[in-house]
Amino acid sequence: MMPMEEKVDLESDEEIPFSASATRKKVHPFDSEINIASHVDMSKSWILKRIQMGPLRSIYIVLIKAKINLLLPFGPLAILLHYLTGKHGLVFLLSMLGITPLAERLGYVTEQLAFYTGPTVGGLLNATFGNATEMIISIYALKSGMIRVVQQSLLGSILSNMLLVLGCAFFSGGIANHQKVQVFNKAAALVNSGLLLMAVMGIMFPAVLHFTHTEVHFGKSEMALSRFSSCIMLIAYGSYLFFQLKSQPNLYSPVDEGGVNDPEDSDDEEVPEITQWETIGWLAILTLWISILSGYLVDAIQGASDSLNMPVAFISVILLPIVGNAAEHASAIMFAMKDKLDITIGVAIGSSTQISMFVIPFCVVVGWCMGQPMDLNFQLFETATLFISVLVVAFMLQDGTSNYFKGFMLILCYLIVAASFFVHVDLEKDNN
């Protein structure tokens, strides 16, 4: 018992001096410093909270956080050079560099909006706003009467999504997940392949009619067939949307892999970084800024072709779509590396389907309203290129699996297409 009592006494002796007045006098000044420091910390935390919850955080996330935003100043610089100098080649290159981060940010903001709308509507929004850059450039070119630029840039966007974007995604995903076979929903991919083949049919018949000289009314039958086919393609795309969203939504559910990746999927659960109204505001701002820069980009195309000694066909089919597809390219590769190939297919092939079945017929109808002779006759070389590319991609998708070699082959196919258009002279442009 004695050792216990001594221990209690010792503890009481230690506690009494700690509460004595002498020590209190030392605590008071230190307390005031703590209070001041705590007030400073509270004010800092309040400021941080205001930044985190307010528009400043939204500006930081959208315009500053991503490294690609380093290219944003090239847009205003292109506008300045347009008025100060006559160097169309430089204005074209700077406009392309300025639009690239805007297209990528537009895709990011659309993904943020998808958190509030659900995955199916979000995927549709992603494809739609992902192609907003191409639509804006096309409408500006249509107003300027540059019909071949519209046709070739939209064709190039389809080829870029099918071959380059999907190829890079398959290649990156295959390297990142080399220890397993990546799979995706084969049924949904085949539906998209069927729609792409239907688009090829709609584009091919006006070209065949033109080059076989079998029109009933020369010059008029081809245009009438193009406008009729465009309306049919728009109806088909609307039916596809109904089929995807309402009738058979289960067809587009991701492939289950036995729950192997459940822990990773739970870690990868993302939350929106900006609010719903902020996403809508940013969509409007980015779309407006892209439309402004697109006007300067289109105006500089012919001058850039002359100064850079580069065919207009190569600029339209290869360079312009790379700018417009920046968002698709980044997101498709990211999802493939995370082994979410169904989203990758939806972004790359879904975007190609939307351009071929909606954007191209829409431009024909808009040209009809503007009085511009926009038709579906993309000329023989371009139509053959599209037909072969769609066949190659359809064969790649038919087994529902992906690996890095498939991606490598698609990239090589795109390099062949790019080289073909670099040595291709668009003689039909002068004849029309």
Side-chain angles (χ1 to χ4, degrees), residues 48-127:
L48 288 172
K49 280 182 182 179
R50 293 290 293 179
I51 292 175
Q52 287 173 359
M53 300 302 293
L56 288 177
R57 181 174 183 271
S58 175
I59 294 171
Y60 170 76
I61 290 173
V62 177
L63 296 182
I64 300 173
K65 186 178 178 182
K67 293 180 181 178
I68 197 171
N69 288 328
L70 292 172
L71 299 176
L72 284 175
F74 287 111
L77 187 59
I79 296 174
L80 279 175
L81 288 177
H82 173 80
Y83 290 107
L84 296 178
T85 66
K87 297 180 178 178
H88 296 289
L90 193 57
V91 172
F92 176 79
L93 292 174
L94 291 177
S95 298
M96 277 209 316
L97 289 174
I99 288 177
T100 301
L102 294 173
E104 191 276 335
R105 290 287 85 189
L106 192 65
Y108 165 79
V109 172
T110 309
E111 288 172 8
Q112 293 295 304
L113 186 59
F115 285 110
Y116 303 100
T117 59
T120 308
V121 178
L124 179 61
L125 285 172
N126 204 339

Side-chain angles (χ1 to χ4, degrees), residues 72-223:
L72 284 175
F74 287 111
L77 187 59
I79 296 174
L80 279 175
L81 288 177
H82 173 80
Y83 290 107
L84 296 178
T85 66
K87 297 180 178 178
H88 296 289
L90 193 57
V91 172
F92 176 79
L93 292 174
L94 291 177
S95 298
M96 277 209 316
L97 289 174
I99 288 177
T100 301
L102 294 173
E104 191 276 335
R105 290 287 85 189
L106 192 65
Y108 165 79
V109 172
T110 309
E111 288 172 8
Q112 293 295 304
L113 186 59
F115 285 110
Y116 303 100
T117 59
T120 308
V121 178
L124 179 61
L125 285 172
N126 204 339
T128 303
F129 279 99
N131 294 326
T133 306
E134 289 92 334
M135 288 188 69
I136 293 168
I137 292 174
S138 299
I139 290 171
Y140 266 94
L142 263 181
K143 287 175 65 177
S144 303
M146 303 172 72
I147 293 168
R148 291 297 290 155
V149 170
V150 176
Q151 292 176 331
Q152 290 174 338
S153 64
L154 293 177
L155 171 76
S157 189
I158 298 171
L159 297 174
S160 174
N161 276 305
M162 285 195 307
L163 299 176
L164 183 62
V165 174
L166 188 64
C168 289
F170 277 5
F171 184 79
S172 304
I175 296 295
N177 302 276
H178 62 276
Q179 73 280 1
K180 60 187 288 190
V181 176
Q182 290 188 289
V183 296
F184 53 86
N185 191 327
K186 183 167 64 173
L190 290 177
V191 169
N192 281 295
S193 299
L195 284 170
L196 286 171
L197 285 169
M198 182 182 175
V200 169
M201 186 173 71
I203 291 171
M204 179 179 288
F205 286 157
V208 172
L209 191 68
H210 176 80
F211 284 98
T212 55
H213 304 287
T214 55
E215 299 174 81
V216 175
H217 302 288
F218 184 76
K220 295 181 180 179
S221 299
E222 174 192 332
M223 185 65 67

